[in-house]
Amino acid sequence: MSCFTDMAISQKVARQSAEEGYCERCSTRRAILVDCCELSSDFSILLSLYQESEDGDELIALIEQDWAIFSPAVMDRKALLNDLLPETVGVRYATSQPMDNAAQRRWVALKDELKYKNRFFPESAPDAKELAELLGLLVISQNDLPKSFFRARVQRGDVALGLGDLVAPPIGVAQAGRANPPGLSYLYVASDPETALAEVRPTVADVVAVAQFEAVRSFKLVDLSDPRSLISPFRLGLEALSNVRAEMAFLTMLSEDLTRPTPAHKAAYDYLATQYLCELIKRIGYDGVRYRSSLNTGGHNFAFFDVTALSPVGLRDPLFVSAVTLNTVPSSAA
């Protein structure tokens, strides 16, 4: 079970085996063990995406490019795949339906059209029905959400911030954000205090207030933190499998743009595409999105479309910033 990050396969291993012991593949001492032949029929569905080709690649390279199935702890993922699909040993493959960067081009086209041509009715917008089907694969279980959420704000001046100062800004006052167009108020919160602190980008000697929020109702969120690792090919039919693989790059680019830090002076234009997609997500019926934090590794941020979905329940002790870590970035990212 510890050999896989894919939840569908991990759950099947847990259901089909009560044997526990040392796993030589991932070096887990108390792993749930199952014979590879019991999973071969599940993995064979992946072969519908690839065809034999003398000029192709090893199957493991193609699968790992498209899906996040195997745990990084597996020392030899190629050998594991060979045991799962022994008929593929020594065979080279190519994708049956090459994506040819079509999804990437569509994302770039949408961004450019929103910036320079059609702000509200872009011709390059994704089909709402197809988008809804994809988003249905990324719904977050309530059990996977934190019990508390956190929001930070840098104190300006000598007056300490109160709890009411850390709620979402009033309608009409909100600046453009990753998910919200200017004027629309969304509630941005983080999964933990450290991420909330990092997201306000404090400088040395700043005092930062951090408020804790809790849910006042149930809600349905879309997880855009890492679509490739969240969507399991083993829960899809043959037709859906090919379609989802083709759209994975589009979802991944949306995820990356939500995560990527943007200077304030570029936000009005750089966030147009993510704002547009979040408006579509809201119209489809979701309450918000989760995305990765670029400023705190392992942390997550949330954008709630309904600012009343969470309620502030208390303030943490103010934090004094004594140091800030600076990281160099490639010149192309500047």
Side-chain angles (χ1 to χ4, degrees), residues 22-36:
Y22 177 73
C23 177
E24 297 180 350
R25 299 186 185 277
C26 63
S27 301
T28 301
R29 294 190 177 278
R30 298 184 61 183
I32 299 176
L33 304 178
V34 67
D35 195 290
C36 284

Side-chain angles (χ1 to χ4, degrees), residues 294-310:
S294 63
L295 300 172
N296 187 42
T297 303
H300 289 92
N301 293 314
F302 300 80
F304 283 89
F305 305 144
D306 177 7
V307 300
T308 67
L310 303 177

Side-chain angles (χ1 to χ4, degrees), residues 329-334:
V329 296
S331 58
S332 60

Side-chain angles (χ1 to χ4, degrees), residues 67-234:
W67 314 98
I69 296 174
F70 300 102
S71 167
V74 177
M75 293 175 284
D76 191 340
R77 293 188 285 278
K78 177 183 175 181
L80 176 55
L81 182 64
N82 288 343
D83 287 343
L84 291 162
L85 295 173
E87 68 273 24
T88 67
V89 174
V91 181
R92 302 187 79 83
Y93 290 85
T95 54
S96 300
Q97 296 179 337
M99 289 182 286
D100 193 28
N101 297 322
Q104 290 95 324
R105 290 200 304 271
R106 286 191 1 252
W107 178 252
V108 173
L110 175 61
K111 292 175 68 172
D112 288 346
E113 185 178 359
L114 288 167
K115 284 183 181 180
Y116 309 120
K117 186 177 179 181
N118 296 314
R119 187 62 47 87
F120 300 107
F121 303 102
E123 296 175 0
S124 53
D127 180 87
K129 181 179 180 181
E130 294 178 358
L131 180 63
E133 292 175 355
L134 286 171
L135 297 177
L137 302 172
L138 295 170
V139 178
I140 309 174
S141 166
Q142 291 289 133
N143 294 331
D144 292 333
L145 291 171
K147 299 298 183 183
S148 297
F149 303 84
F150 300 88
R151 180 173 169 85
R153 184 177 174 186
V154 177
Q155 178 179 307
R156 304 300 183 191
D158 298 328
V159 180
L161 295 174
L163 195 58
D165 295 313
L166 278 94
V167 299
I171 294 175
V173 175
Q175 301 296 311
R178 299 172 192 274
N180 71 290
L184 269 65
S185 185
Y186 290 171
L187 180 63
Y188 291 88
V189 290
S191 56
D192 53 82
E194 294 75 20
T195 300
L197 174 65
E199 287 295 330
V200 297
R201 306 181 190 183
T203 58
V204 173
D206 276 343
V207 175
V208 182
V210 179
Q212 181 176 336
F213 287 72
E214 292 183 357
V216 297
R217 62 174 176 84
S218 60
F219 34 72
K220 187 166 64 170
L221 301 181
V222 174
D223 193 345
L224 295 172
S225 59
D226 187 4
R228 183 174 161 273
S229 68
L230 295 168
I231 296 178
S232 170
F234 306 106

